[in-house]
Amino acid sequence: MAPPRSARWSAVLVTAGAVAFLLAGIAGFLNAAVVNGTAFAEHLNDIRRSEAVRTEIGREVATAVVDAQPDLIAIRPAIEGAASAVVGSPILDVPFTAAVRSFHTAMTQEGASSAVLTLADLGATAATAVDAFVPQVAEYLPADLNLTLARVGGQEGPASTIIPLIQLVSTLAWVLPLLAILLFAGGLWLSPHRRLTLVRMGWLLAITGAVLGLGVLGMTVASWLVDDSTLTGAVTSAALAEFREPLLVRFLATVVMGGLLVAAAGALLPQVELDRHIRDALRAAARRPESPALATARGLGLVLLGTGMVLFPTLSAQVVAIVAGLVVFFLGVAEVDAIAERSRAADRSRALQGGGDGQSGPRRRGRVRAWWLVPVGAGLAVAAVVAALVVPQALPQGGVLDRVVDARRGCNGYEELCDRPFDQVVLAGSHNSMSVADGSGWFLAEQPKDMVSSLDDGIRALLVDTWYGQATASGGTITADRSMADAEAALMATYGEQVVASIRRTIDRVRGEQGEGPVEPYFCHTVCELGATRVLPEMQRLRAWLDAHPREVVVLFIQDAVTPQDTADVLTRAGIAELAHTHVEGQPWPTLQEMIDADQRVVVLMENRGGGSELPWLHQGFDLVQDTEYTFAAAQDFTCTRKRGRADSPLFAINHWLAGFTRLVSNAEQVNAHDVLRARVDACVAERGQLPSIIAVNWYDRGDLVRVVDELNGVAGRPALIG
């Protein structure tokens, strides 16, 4: 039996009301969060102050400064920290929000004057802060260093399109809620079974809230998946998290409203005389307790409450508004429940008189139950989307199928090198390979990329320092107590006088934190406070690279403040020990091909303490290597005089860098140039009568290190064959 026409029209109106309510929620969200200039400015201000955004802006500023003055790479972490602190500082709240409101006005209001949203107005504040943090940097800041976010001219460009949309959203934000109420009222008025219509209305509201919840979930998942290691990604992730909150409020309010309607109309709520309970509560609050102790406590409580309302007027107004809103809402629910109760009484009366709902009753109850399919289906769909997006990210990446198989037939890139003994092959080396500009928190960086990335650029000898370090709660690293005495003794010998004071201030600041992680080997340069990388994960990355490049031979030359036993332990855990070649002193060196065939492709050398007979693969470095001096102030000071090792040591290392830390990059550009580097190497070969095994430089990407190495190996311009 078909439902009466009034029931069909009622269903249409109620459904249309739910759609209007959904659109009203979206329009209201946009109106409150985006159209409202003050709220929009506050949201953007919160985004500016988020940790990821200010960190990435700090990096952008540091990049701009270092590009202008490359030698400032030595203090890049300080520049990043200063810029990040400035960007996230509360002192910028007022000028930043004012700039955003100006921009917002030009984008949303007809006739508004043009606006330029830049950080130019913040320049004086930023410059003052940078000068306070790192005074040696301020004089190098480029005069045109400026972050322009948008330029809007009057009503031209994007404003001509945005303004009509803004006006439409503003109109819909109040029209749609009114339309939804009228449609709901019309559907309820036409319905022959109003209790059932109220139940359906509640379910529709709950489903509307669930749709808004899908938006909240989507924004949440998107904020998780966005890569916040770039400025664009950091801003996007922070914006998704920030603008999710207003939508979350609408989602919760709509779901709660719908659920209460279902509960009230479905006889799941008891009749509640809310007005009587409110009156009783007010009388109880106004009545003075007879007990002096309770009366005193009540008086002190009122004093504290009044004081709080005076000190925090905005918060107090919000609390009062929330309480009043809840009271009004539950008064409305009580009224709905009363209407539903009258409807239920009428249903019972008809049932007693034999009228009932006929066969339509069970069918209608079935339809009510069928509404569960919609939220359940929506939940399953959301779960499927989340699984598709999140599960692949959580699965282990890489594996056998992802390994890059090196198909070259050469050795270290060239077939000509395969039959040469190891001590007759020249290797490109990086001095202080762990001290890298692309690492986190490294002061005085001496190389551009991390160790494993440098291997892709042709470096085959890694000169590193190991110390005992300990992680701090903030993510930094301190030198462990067992290494601190040696580190302090080496500090003055390692750094020039002009940077020692700055280094000590940095150390004192960082060492104010307590170490909370285990004491373990770190790659550090004298002191871990100036930069540190855990040895184990970096060596695990080296093992992965060696697995992916099975025809490469690498030297690991360690200036060790870590015991041989602990060094062996960490290299064993990383899988490096099983690839280590053990050389017997006095015996000829194997060829690169023989080392590759035996899969013993790593030569480990220790500056201070070798492994002895217990760990023979940890070679005492200067039993096998003779090197040159390394404390040259200028290129004209270069000599080839032996510094360490014996005159008959089979391996020869040329240390080719200048000792100053204030001109690291420009010095490298000068001394790594082909003519300078090749002339030095030729002079050392003539003087020492031996081809170098390692040529170690700072900033290996500046100049012509790899070119000179290829020339010495006789393979310049002839890359390995691909098979």
Side-chain angles (χ1 to χ4, degrees), residues 467-472 476-480 482 514-522 534 536 573:
W467 297 80
Y468 289 105
Q470 191 174 20
T472 65
T477 308
I478 61 173
T479 307
R482 63 187 297 181
Q514 294 295 318
E516 63 171 17
V519 174
E520 60 180 309
Y522 277 80
R534 290 179 61 220
L536 178 59
R573 290 163 60 196

Side-chain angles (χ1 to χ4, degrees), residues 504-517:
R504 287 195 178 278
R505 286 196 298 270
T506 301
I507 293 173
D508 291 341
R509 183 178 70 251
V510 177
R511 285 195 65 82
E513 299 184 72
Q514 294 295 318
E516 63 171 17

Side-chain angles (χ1 to χ4, degrees), residues 412-706:
N412 276 26
Y414 296 93
E415 285 191 330
E416 294 91 333
L417 301 181
C418 288
D419 295 331
R420 293 188 194 174
F422 176 78
D423 60 340
Q424 295 178 28
V425 176
V426 184
L427 302 179
S430 57
H431 167 240
N432 283 333
S433 309
M434 70 289 166
S435 178
V436 294
D438 67 349
S440 177
W442 276 95
F443 285 78
L444 309 173
E446 292 173 80
Q447 300 300 337
K449 301 179 183 179
D450 67 82
M451 285 183 265
V452 175
S453 297
S454 73
L455 297 174
D456 292 329
D457 295 337
I459 298 301
R460 291 295 178 269
L462 303 170
L463 281 61
V464 295
D465 297 1
T466 58
W467 297 80
Y468 289 105
Q470 191 174 20
T472 65
S474 65
T477 308
I478 61 173
T479 307
D481 290 340
R482 63 187 297 181
S483 284
M484 199 60 203
D486 291 338
E488 289 179 345
L491 188 62
M492 288 300 297
T494 304
Y495 297 99
E497 286 289 340
Q498 61 189 119
V499 295
V500 166
S502 177
I503 290 173
R504 287 195 178 278
R505 286 196 298 270
T506 301
I507 293 173
D508 291 341
R509 183 178 70 251
V510 177
R511 285 195 65 82
E513 299 184 72
Q514 294 295 318
E516 63 171 17
V519 174
E520 60 180 309
Y522 277 80
F523 289 121
C524 307
H525 192 195
T526 308
V527 283
C528 296
E529 288 79 358
L530 298 182
T533 302
R534 290 179 61 220
V535 172
L536 178 59
E538 195 68 8
M539 291 297 95
Q540 289 171 331
R541 293 182 64 228
L542 174 59
R543 173 59 195 255
W545 188 91
L546 289 165
D547 286 345
H549 300 81
R551 302 193 62 80
E552 303 296 322
V553 177
V554 172
V555 169
L556 189 63
F557 206 153
I558 303 174
Q559 180 179 329
D560 48 313
V562 172
T563 66
Q565 291 74 23
D566 287 344
T567 300
D569 176 67
V570 72
L571 293 183
T572 300
R573 290 163 60 196
I576 299 297
E578 62 190 70
L579 298 182
H581 169 74
T582 301
H583 180 68
V584 178
E585 192 171 354
Q587 296 295 315
W589 285 87
T591 65
L592 293 192
Q593 184 65 61
E594 290 171 338
M595 297 175 73
I596 290 168
D597 290 343
D599 205 19
Q600 295 183 347
R601 298 178 288 122
V602 181
V603 177
V604 182
L605 305 169
M606 311 286 284
E607 281 198 15
N608 298 322
R609 290 171 291 177
S613 59
E614 181 183 354
L615 300 166
W617 55 276
L618 293 181
H619 303 97
Q620 176 57 257
F622 292 111
D623 285 347
L624 300 177
V625 179
Q626 52 178 300
D627 70 348
T628 67
E629 180 60 73
Y630 54 82
T631 55
F632 303 106
Q636 58 267 28
D637 299 331
F638 279 135
T639 69
C640 298
T641 304
R642 178 164 52 91
K643 171 72 172 178
R644 294 167 293 189
R646 301 190 306 263
D648 61 349
S649 295
L651 306 179
F652 175 32
I654 295 179
N655 300 316
H656 188 79
W657 62 85
L658 300 182
F661 286 93
T662 58
R663 291 175 49 84
L664 283 167
V665 177
S666 56
N667 281 343
E669 290 175 341
Q670 175 193 0
V671 301
N672 294 353
H674 179 272
D675 292 347
V676 177
L677 178 56
R678 183 59 194 264
R680 168 104 190 281
V681 172
D682 289 345
C684 290
V685 170
E687 179 177 328
R688 304 283 284 269
Q690 190 171 355
L691 192 71
S693 303
I694 299 172
I695 302 174
V697 303
N698 283 342
W699 286 89
Y700 69 81
D701 64 329
R702 306 298 175 107
D704 301 287
L705 170 65
V706 174

Side-chain angles (χ1 to χ4, degrees), residues 71-162:
D71 288 316
L72 290 179
I73 190 71
I75 54 172
R76 176 172 180 144
I79 301 172
E80 287 185 10
S84 177
V86 171
V87 169
S89 173
I91 64 176
L92 299 187
D93 287 351
V94 173
F96 184 84
T97 53
V100 174
R101 282 197 297 270
S102 172
F103 166 73
H104 185 276
T105 300
M107 291 292 288
T108 59
Q109 297 182 18
E110 293 183 352
S113 59
S114 62
V116 179
L117 176 58
T118 73
L119 297 186
D121 293 338
L122 312 181
T125 303
T128 300
V130 169
D131 184 65
F133 279 107
V134 268
Q136 63 268 49
V137 175
E139 61 182 287
Y140 296 112
L141 287 174
D144 58 350
L145 184 62
N146 179 10
L147 178 62
T148 300
L149 303 181
R151 187 178 299 274
V152 184
Q155 308 311 315
E156 301 176 359
S160 62
T161 303
I162 293 175

Side-chain angles (χ1 to χ4, degrees), residues 1 46 59 67 159 162 166 182 206 212 276 400 412-413 618 633 717:
M1 181 177 180
D46 289 339
R59 289 177 181 168
D67 285 347
I162 293 175
I166 291 295
L182 292 175
L212 296 175
R276 180 173 61 81
V400 175
N412 276 26
L618 293 181

